[in-house]
Amino acid sequence: MISSSRARSAWYWATVAIVTGLLLLAPLVLPSFRLNLLGRFLAYAIVAIALDLIWGYAGLLSLGHGLFFGLGAYAMAMYLKLASSNELPDFMTWSGRDTLPLFWLPFRSPVFAIGAALVVPALLAAILGYLVFRSRIQGVYFSIITQALTLIVSILFIGQQSLTGGTNGITDLSKIFGLPRTAARVQTGLYLATVVCLLGVYLLCRWIVSSRFGRLLVAMRDNEARVRMLGYNPVVLKTLVFALSAAIAGLAGALFVPQVGIISPSALGVVPSVEIVIWVAVGGRGLLVGAVLGALLVNWGKTVFSESFPNIWNYGYGALLIATVVLFPEGLTGFLIRLPAWWQQRTHRADPESRMHNVELVATPDSSEM
């Protein structure tokens, strides 16, 4: 039993090492466009892990993770915009401003921008979470509140043309750390940084769900009243994990925007938040690997359909999602995990059932003899 567990653990970590190695070697074989595309997908995988942490393990379905992802992206984009030009951002000039707003000034520092990409989403999630969880709001009501907040903030960003760029967002991000953003070596460095961050986030979340705190999250998901009776405070537990999840989503946004070169309020909308939920559902919630698999597979399928069938790709994308949810309700990862046990059980049943069937055929008298 112990040797079997060790063998599975060894295979698991070997698989993680192999996949990480392949991702790190991807710049050697992929053209720049495909490498940039893969980097975006890996950033999506990070935010998918963030959602799976609270949905799969704590039972909190957030429809607002696009907001936290977008806030992290905006924080990084503000630094990139200031680094790309010594002048006032163009959208501020168009709106009639002649001075930089005070809250923009600290974003001249990349360290501050990266910190803000983590802290701002986490702080917003902590405030919202504490108020909601203290009122014992949960289930679909929690999902609706997060979705409503996402919609409110996206509308607010659209209306603040002179501060956020309005509908167009923040564009023309040409430099990062004093280097041209679109240079091949810079994009390769951003891709490798995304791979490292994805691995770090995955290992961190795996350690969390394997710890006592993770077991409390699962217990709270299954029976919150019992956890409260045992002396734990679900409000604190939920607020902590929600804030951590938001910070991870903000990190994903900060990694995403320099690879794309633009961020707009559409990234903070309801649709991106729902798409994140779909990634986790397709891959398999409650399984961190499933979140990564779902984000990569769904976005790869979306790209393939859009390139091969530009006029009908939305239908193919929708059919892929529906088929996956209907055929694999536990997600692809859950299906793959249970497939060997299902096949072994079916194999063991085959011989006894066939023998019993033969016995029944022999024991049944022929109608012609009667």
Side-chain angles (χ1 to χ4, degrees), residues 74-159:
Y74 261 95
M76 192 64 182
M78 291 168 69
Y79 157 72
L80 295 175
K81 188 65 176 178
L82 295 177
S84 301
S85 174
N86 294 325
E87 302 176 354
L88 202 66
D90 47 12
F91 58 84
M92 293 186 183
T93 303
W94 301 336
S95 301
R97 295 190 66 95
D98 54 5
T99 58
L100 195 67
L102 291 179
F103 74 92
W104 269 75
L105 293 177
F107 286 92
R108 293 188 183 277
S109 168
V111 176
F112 181 87
I114 295 173
L118 300 176
V119 173
V120 172
L123 184 60
L124 179 61
I127 295 173
L128 174 67
Y130 179 76
L131 295 176
V132 170
F133 301 140
R134 187 184 63 173
S135 302
R136 299 194 180 184
I137 297 174
Q138 55 187 345
V140 66
Y141 301 104
F142 170 75
S143 302
I144 293 174
I145 289 175
T146 56
Q147 187 179 60
L149 179 64
T150 300
L151 185 60
I152 292 171
V153 175
S154 63
I155 294 175
L156 179 64
F157 272 57
I158 292 174

Side-chain angles (χ1 to χ4, degrees), residues 33-98:
F33 172 75
R34 296 297 176 185
L35 185 68
N36 179 263
L37 201 61
L38 180 58
R40 301 180 194 182
F41 294 169
L42 295 180
Y44 288 150
I46 294 176
V47 70
I49 291 177
L51 179 62
D52 192 30
L53 179 64
I54 63 170
W55 185 25
Y57 294 91
L60 303 173
L61 175 56
S62 169
L63 295 179
H65 262 52
L67 169 61
F68 305 131
F69 177 85
L71 289 176
Y74 261 95
M76 192 64 182
M78 291 168 69
Y79 157 72
L80 295 175
K81 188 65 176 178
L82 295 177
S84 301
S85 174
N86 294 325
E87 302 176 354
L88 202 66
D90 47 12
F91 58 84
M92 293 186 183
T93 303
W94 301 336
S95 301
R97 295 190 66 95
D98 54 5

